Amino acid sequence: MTDTGRMTSTARPPLSTARPLLRVRDVAMAFPGRRRGTAPVRAVDGISFDVAPGETLGLVGESGCGKSTTGRMIVRLLEPTSGSITYDGRDISHLSQRELKPLRRELQMVFQDPHSSLNPRQTVARIISDPLLTQGSSAADARKRAAELMDLVGLIPEHMDRYPHEFSGGQAQRIGIARSLATSPRLVVADEPVSALDVSVQAQIVNLMERLQQELGLAYLFIAHDLSVVKRVCDRVAVMYLGRIVEIGDKHQVYAAPAHPYTRALLSAVPLPDPAAERARERITLLGDPPSPAAPPPGCTFHPRCPKARALCRTEAPLLRIAAPGEGREVACHFPEAA
Amino acid sequence: MTAPQLSMTETHALLSVRDLSVTFATKRGPVRAVDSLSFDMHRGRTLGIVGESGSGKSVTSMAVLGLHTGAEITGSISLDGQELVGLPERELNRLRGRRMAMIFQDPLSSLHPYYTVGEQIAEHHRVHFGSRRSVARRRAVEMLAEVGIPEPERRAGEYPHQFSGGMRQRVMIAMALVCEPELLIADEPTTALDVTVQAQILELIARLQEERGLAVVLITHDLGVVARVAHDVLVMYGGRAVEQAPVDALFAHPAHPYTRGLLDSLPRLDDADDAPLRAIPGSPPSLLAPAPGCAFAPRCARAAAASPSERLRCETERPLLSGPAGLPQVLDSARTGGTPLAACHFPGFPASEGVAS
């Protein structure tokens, strides 16, 4: 069931400079405060990015940074408070559920915990064909397609009448992926798709998602806290901190020479599976925990933990701007690292 | 963070585990979660126990602390010469917290929501030392300071929910160490934390370990965490030890195909190429129907490439933990630079010949 042999090339289609598949502009999500009279919590606070057809954008950050909320807004499980989400040229930010239904074919989601996102009382065939039935396919067609999809994701089609508990975690995630692909989507939002899986199984799912992207021309928004996995999977990466994007750009640029002090610290905090490299490397240890989005610090929200913070950082929030001339990478820092 | 060099004459282990098996009775039959595990732990060393879910790593640590009720435990666990298996609960209670302590993955569920953190830490001190309230309270504040909690005097009067995840884990560490145990078992202590906070907690554990000469058992699924803090590593699979080695040897020359496969399948930050990951096929084994031979054989590339008679051996004969010389040995954390051990019929030891990988 390994996917290693089936991948022929890692080359991706060239990124089109024409119309992006997904365009996110100044999107914000404010949840009401827990008690009356408390200020709303701005879980996402004005973010903008594009996803090109066939591209993978990685969205990374720590818990509470707003990455999952962003994913949920894009598939419109949540309605953004402000800003616009444009899918294939059409503004979908405030469409009603009825208007969204035809779009759900093209915009799908894969969840973190495969078992809790599969109905335990439905057979795998039923789970995978559910999106098709919703979209008006006949039962026979949907069942046939479910068998094809199981084969596509490396499951045995003969197992289609089994129930989710009969599958291991990795297999269950394959079922979740098969379901997301049932309607031939063009964009899949994957929210921590491998973090609930055993280490020895994660690579199988990463390889599967890469192969499917090649074969089907999918675009992914890949949300994860594991920077190593994101580096492997994505073309570009956006780093979020407290509801905002602090750095976004080509993954090679961002990983090789992070411009934002937070990106630097985040990368240096990831333990490497190599004791010699671990002892040799210089680590930037941040002080404290990420602050609560309910009470964000003034100015740059990272300044209380930033080793480079100066007076300006305490008062003025930096805007996302091009880091260096000729670079596509953008960074929100008054004093970015020289590339 | 180099490994302290222990003289080879210092052979008195703090914790000595021999042929430990833990079996649970379930509706679907007995499950042997830990199967014939043996290892030694010395003061001043960190042993990383690595494994996936169901590998038996947490069950092992709970057995050491005597926290399993209703499980059948055989073999021997001795702490500084005292046998723990079969020890009455009252005796165990005296040892837990005092000589050995544990921190868990989720600090919030391990702290009592109704009492201030200062009271909870102080209570440990009073129970074990019979100290006066004022003395215990002072010790609690000192411990909070030692684990890096700012304004310890004030924060001792706060409740667990007023602390962030990272600060709560510091509180747990303060509570675990207030009675100055010699053995600290940390079960996935940073798994629930963000990566920047994880770095802080790992640094704290390493510092306290050095300062206090603790023996630390660190249980984790993350090979990066092991590489950062452990001196020795024990890799578990399907309830059994499959490999044990000093940390550098393990990562440089993994002898067991499972360890090798895990390392090969990891996406790495310091990896330049974008080739597909070398995934291990299949899923971790079920403990309900353990294989008679090597638990890893169904997923093993080395077994798949072996001749039919060799493969039959992998499938039917259980490999014992042994060194390159082939003699079964017991894992001993003091053997720094000593021989790595692997439970494999065809281990990939660096200098050995006839390796099928």
Side-chain angles (χ1 to χ4, degrees):
Chain A
M1 241 198 322
T2 171
D3 288 295
T4 318
R6 299 172 72 168
M7 234 180 80
T8 47
S9 149
T10 51
R12 293 216 167 82
L15 302 187
S16 112
T17 46
R19 193 168 73 181
L21 185 61
L22 178 75
R23 170 162 283 189
V24 173
R25 286 295 175 272
D26 296 320
V27 162
M29 183 74 218
F31 294 105
R34 211 180 294 172
R35 282 180 298 262
R36 267 175 53 177
T38 53
V41 176
R42 292 181 74 83
V44 174
D45 194 10
I47 63 169
S48 302
F49 59 84
D50 290 346
V51 180
E55 178 193 41
T56 301
L57 175 68
L59 202 53
V60 300
E62 301 181 278
S63 48
C65 72
K67 56 189 192 300
S68 289
T69 303
T70 302
R72 280 162 191 270
M73 284 193 286
I74 285 160
V75 294
R76 280 301 319 280
L77 292 174
L78 288 171
E79 183 176 349
T81 320
S82 63
S84 73
I85 298 169
T86 312
Y87 175 78
D88 202 16
R90 184 169 174 210
D91 189 339
I92 62 165
S93 333
H94 305 290
L95 294 186
S96 68
Q97 289 304 317
R98 198 168 52 82
E99 291 169 310
L100 278 168
K101 196 173 160 189
L103 271 166
R104 296 244 182 262
R105 279 180 171 281
E106 305 211 356
L107 266 168
Q108 284 289 332
M109 186 147 184
V110 174
F111 297 90
Q112 173 173 352
D113 183 349
H115 278 296
S116 71
S117 57
L118 303 176
N119 187 335
R121 303 183 64 171
Q122 289 183 349
T123 64
V124 171
R126 176 63 219 259
I127 289 169
I128 296 175
S129 52
D130 199 52
L132 293 163
L133 298 171
T134 308
Q135 295 287 346
S137 290
S138 74
D141 285 351
R143 196 175 158 80
K144 193 161 146 266
R145 177 90 176 116
E148 287 169 16
L149 287 159
M150 287 183 74
D151 187 48
L152 180 71
V153 299
L155 293 168
I156 301 165
E158 285 73 43
H159 293 170
M160 68 191 300
D161 292 315
R162 297 190 178 179
Y163 290 87
H165 75 264
E166 298 175 71
F167 294 84
S168 69
Q171 290 171 324
Q173 192 57 298
R174 288 175 194 264
I175 297 169
I177 291 170
R179 174 178 59 187
S180 78
L181 299 178
T183 56
S184 306
R186 293 165 72 197
L187 176 66
V188 172
V189 174
D191 191 356
E192 301 274 12
V194 300
S195 40
L197 304 177
D198 273 319
V199 184
S200 74
V201 175
Q202 288 188 1
Q204 293 175 13
I205 299 300
V206 166
N207 285 344
L208 172 67
M209 290 185 67
E210 290 191 333
R211 174 169 66 78
L212 293 170
Q213 179 167 50
Q214 299 273 313
E215 291 179 9
L216 309 174
L218 298 171
Y220 288 130
L221 181 68
F222 194 98
I223 301 168
H225 71 282
D226 185 331
L227 290 138
S228 315
V229 170
V230 167
K231 173 169 176 279
R232 173 64 52 154
V233 171
C234 68
D235 301 299
R236 288 189 307 132
V237 61
V239 182
M240 288 187 74
Y241 189 77
L242 221 61
R244 293 183 190 167
I245 291 176
V246 297
E247 182 161 2
I248 180 169
D250 176 83
K251 77 160 169 205
H252 296 293
Q253 281 176 354
V254 173
Y255 277 84
H260 196 284
Y262 177 64
T263 316
R264 264 179 100 87
L266 205 55
L267 285 170
S268 94
V270 177
L272 301 175
D274 180 344
E278 267 299 323
R279 281 192 291 269
R281 80 205 271 235
E282 191 195 341
R283 261 197 298 279
I284 309 157
T285 306
L286 292 179
L287 301 173
D289 296 73
S292 156
C300 172
T301 51
F302 183 58
H303 88 257
R305 304 178 75 198
C306 182
K308 298 177 71 187
R310 300 186 216 170
L312 177 66
C313 307
R314 290 182 254 283
T315 52
E316 198 177 308
L319 299 173
L320 200 61
R321 57 184 142 227
I322 301 285
E327 254 193 21
R329 179 227 312 248
E330 292 171 277
V331 59
C333 179
H334 294 304
F335 308 103
E337 306 284 338
Chain B
M1 205 195 305
T2 48
Q5 291 296 317
L6 292 183
S7 66
M8 293 306 283
T9 51
E10 190 183 333
T11 49
H12 176 60
L14 175 66
L15 178 71
S16 194
V17 173
R18 288 294 176 279
D19 284 322
L20 176 69
S21 293
V22 182
T23 310
F24 297 94
T26 74
K27 269 186 283 183
R28 292 196 281 167
V31 164
R32 179 159 288 191
V34 174
D35 193 355
S36 311
L37 187 69
S38 300
F39 65 88
D40 279 351
M41 279 288 304
H42 288 254
R43 291 179 178 85
R45 316 249 336 147
T46 298
L47 173 71
I49 302 185
V50 199
E52 303 178 271
S53 47
S55 64
K57 55 191 195 303
S58 292
V59 174
T60 302
S61 62
M62 305 273 280
V64 170
L65 284 167
L67 293 176
H68 289 302
T69 49
E72 186 199 330
I73 298 178
T74 59
S76 154
I77 302 168
S78 93
L79 181 74
D80 210 7
Q82 182 175 15
E83 179 58 48
L84 302 184
V85 173
L87 205 62
E89 190 62 24
R90 212 162 49 91
E91 306 266 325
L92 272 172
N93 264 335
R94 247 199 296 253
L95 293 173
R96 281 194 293 249
R98 177 65 191 90
R99 300 204 63 189
M100 53 185 185
M102 187 159 178
I103 54 175
F104 299 90
Q105 177 173 341
D106 179 5
L108 192 57
S109 64
S110 321
L111 290 165
H112 200 294
Y114 278 14
Y115 297 94
T116 67
V117 304
E119 285 166 346
Q120 294 184 56
I121 299 169
E123 192 196 358
H124 278 245
H125 202 264
R126 288 198 292 121
V127 165
H128 285 290
F129 293 118
S131 49
R132 297 218 320 268
R133 264 171 205 284
S134 59
V135 174
R137 159 99 194 165
R138 188 161 14 94
R139 277 298 297 142
V141 173
E142 284 166 11
M143 271 319 297
L144 288 174
E146 193 176 335
V147 298
I149 290 180
E151 301 179 73
E153 192 71 50
R154 180 176 69 78
R155 305 250 26 201
E158 293 187 346
Y159 294 87
H161 76 269
Q162 294 171 288
F163 289 74
S164 65
M167 285 295 157
R168 268 181 219 138
Q169 197 56 287
R170 287 175 195 267
V171 169
M172 281 306 298
I173 294 171
M175 192 183 298
L177 297 184
V178 70
C179 296
E180 308 192 354
E182 295 135 285
L183 174 67
L184 175 69
I185 298 177
D187 189 354
E188 301 271 9
T190 60
T191 307
L193 303 175
D194 283 322
V195 64
T196 57
V197 180
Q198 164 174 285
Q200 298 167 7
I201 298 296
L202 291 179
E203 242 164 63
L204 174 67
I205 291 175
R207 173 170 68 78
L208 293 170
Q209 197 245 11
E210 260 182 47
E211 287 173 4
R212 297 171 163 248
L214 288 169
V216 176
V217 178
L218 184 97
I219 291 157
T220 179
H221 67 281
D222 188 330
L223 285 159
V225 168
V226 166
R228 184 169 290 183
V229 298
H231 301 122
D232 305 279
V233 188
L234 169 62
V235 183
M236 292 187 73
Y237 188 79
R240 302 170 189 173
V242 295
E243 184 158 6
Q244 179 272 323
V247 69
D248 287 292
L250 185 102
F251 283 87
H253 307 288
H256 196 283
Y258 172 64
T259 318
R260 156 123 273 158
L262 266 190
L263 285 169
D264 284 349
S265 73
L266 283 183
R268 291 176 56 146
L269 270 191
D270 54 350
D271 215 355
D273 79 52
D274 285 346
L277 299 171
R278 281 175 286 176
I280 303 176
S283 312
S286 159
L287 296 174
L288 276 165
C294 171
F296 187 59
R299 306 176 72 190
C300 180
R302 221 171 274 172
S307 71
S309 64
E310 287 174 334
R311 199 178 320 141
L312 188 69
R313 192 172 169 216
C314 294
E315 284 162 2
T316 53
E317 185 189 326
R318 186 178 156 179
L320 298 171
L321 203 62
S322 47
L327 299 167
Q329 293 174 32
V330 165
L331 178 168
D332 182 342
S333 74
R335 294 179 309 107
T336 326
T339 339
L341 307 176
C344 177
H345 293 306
F346 308 102
F349 290 115
S352 68
E353 294 189 355
V355 172
S357 74

